[in-house]
Amino acid sequence: MVPPPSTPSLDSQQIQQFLSSVLSQRGPSSLPYTEDSKWLIRQHLLSLTSRYPSLQPKTATFTHNDGRSVNLLQADGTIPMPYQGVTYNIPIIIWLIESYPRYPPVVYVNPTRDMIIKRPHPHVSPSGLVSIPYLQNWIYPSSNLVDLVINLGSAFSHDPPLYSQRRSNPNPNPPNYGQQQQPPPPRVAAAGYPPSPYGRAQPSQTEDAAEVYKRNAVNKLVEVVHGDIIKMRKEREAEMEGLFSAQGVLRKREEEVNKGLKEMQDEKEALEQQLQVVLMSTDVLAGWVRENEGKIKNLGKNNDSVDVDVDEVFHCADVLSKQMLDCTAADLAIEDVVYSLDKALQEGAVPFDQYLRNVRLLSREQFFHKATAAKVRAAQMQAQVASMAARAPHSHYAP
């Protein structure tokens, strides 16, 4: 096994002091981690540097895709990678993003000037972004940085992500950068790292200009299509809002039409009931006329020789009709008497006090007759409704 390259590193006490200092800062210069996760972040980094002294904790500026720049912790250095019986050292950077440790860190392979990222690689993008199953299946709080580095070394040992720039064939054995006694140190400037975990980084010096132009054109086309989709979505939303409004208006009109239709049906039923009453009354009157037509003719012929009793001309059908006839006759008779008293008072034939006394008595009697007539009329209506209900199943009249 070849030892890792010797680089100046902080001892355990210095690392503890550094982490305690940066994680305890407050105000604008504080790191964007939640207070309840800072202690766990400190423990993860201490365990990592204790297990892998070649990785050193640092703070640097990380740039997101949306242009936001934020000061974050990182572990910068090399990790061991066994390959064909030889241990090589892969330079990487582990960024602890704002949501760490609930979400996985962002890992980049950090090749030196004489190294090139292998294309294609199942776990490393052309920008250096690393994606392995351990990162994709990150589980809080059991996942940690030590196990992450172990899985990185295991994944890279099956397919090394870097090869020497001096070689044109990417398949030969990895370069002997792990065997160098004093390899060039990794670049620590923020501009040398890919700016985001999505690979939107400045192209390396070895990238083909045609590939860069193609990627930029694709990105531009995606932005245009995205803008068109947003515009189309807004138009469709406005159109749907208009359709919903029209649907509401139509629903309201439907309710009004149904209400009007119900009212017309109710009115039709009421008119049909009134028509039934009229037809029944017509039948009764027609029958009465047929029965009394001969009597009227005989009265006309024998008017001179036969005395006709007026009270015997009309015969009431039942007790209620007889009572109604008596009340109505008494009411009209009292009306005539009051009229005659008025005429007599105007002519001076009746004294005024006698007039008032008679009118008071007559009015009281007339009131009782009218009240009795109203009760009889209500009783007749109830009897008529009951008779119609009894005859309805057996009688049919054309509307």
Side-chain angles (χ1 to χ4, degrees), residues 160-181:
L162 300 175
Y163 64 93
S164 174
Q165 189 174 0
R166 293 187 298 271
R167 300 181 182 181
S168 58
N169 185 7
N171 293 322
N173 294 337
N176 57 354
Y177 45 80
Q179 301 178 10
Q180 297 176 1
Q181 296 299 325

Side-chain angles (χ1 to χ4, degrees), residues 272-273 276-277 280 383-398:
E272 289 179 350
Q273 293 178 359
Q276 295 292 333
V277 174
M280 291 177 64
Q384 187 176 8
V385 170
S387 176
M388 290 176 57
R391 296 173 58 184
H394 307 287
S395 301
H396 297 280
Y397 296 93

Side-chain angles (χ1 to χ4, degrees), residues 87-108:
T87 299
Y88 299 90
N89 298 297
I90 303 297
I92 67 167
I93 300 176
I94 303 176
W95 288 93
L96 306 186
I97 58 176
E98 298 93 326
S99 56
Y100 185 86
R102 289 178 173 79
Y103 292 91
V106 177
V107 182
Y108 285 96

Side-chain angles (χ1 to χ4, degrees), residues 11-22:
D11 58 21
S12 176
Q13 184 177 2
Q14 290 176 333
I15 292 175
Q16 292 182 15
Q17 293 177 353
F18 169 75
L19 292 177
S20 299
S21 175
V22 297

Side-chain angles (χ1 to χ4, degrees), residues 367-382:
F367 171 76
F368 285 117
H369 288 303
K370 288 186 176 181
T372 304
K375 293 181 179 180
V376 172
R377 187 177 297 108
Q380 286 180 332
M381 290 297 296
Q382 292 180 358

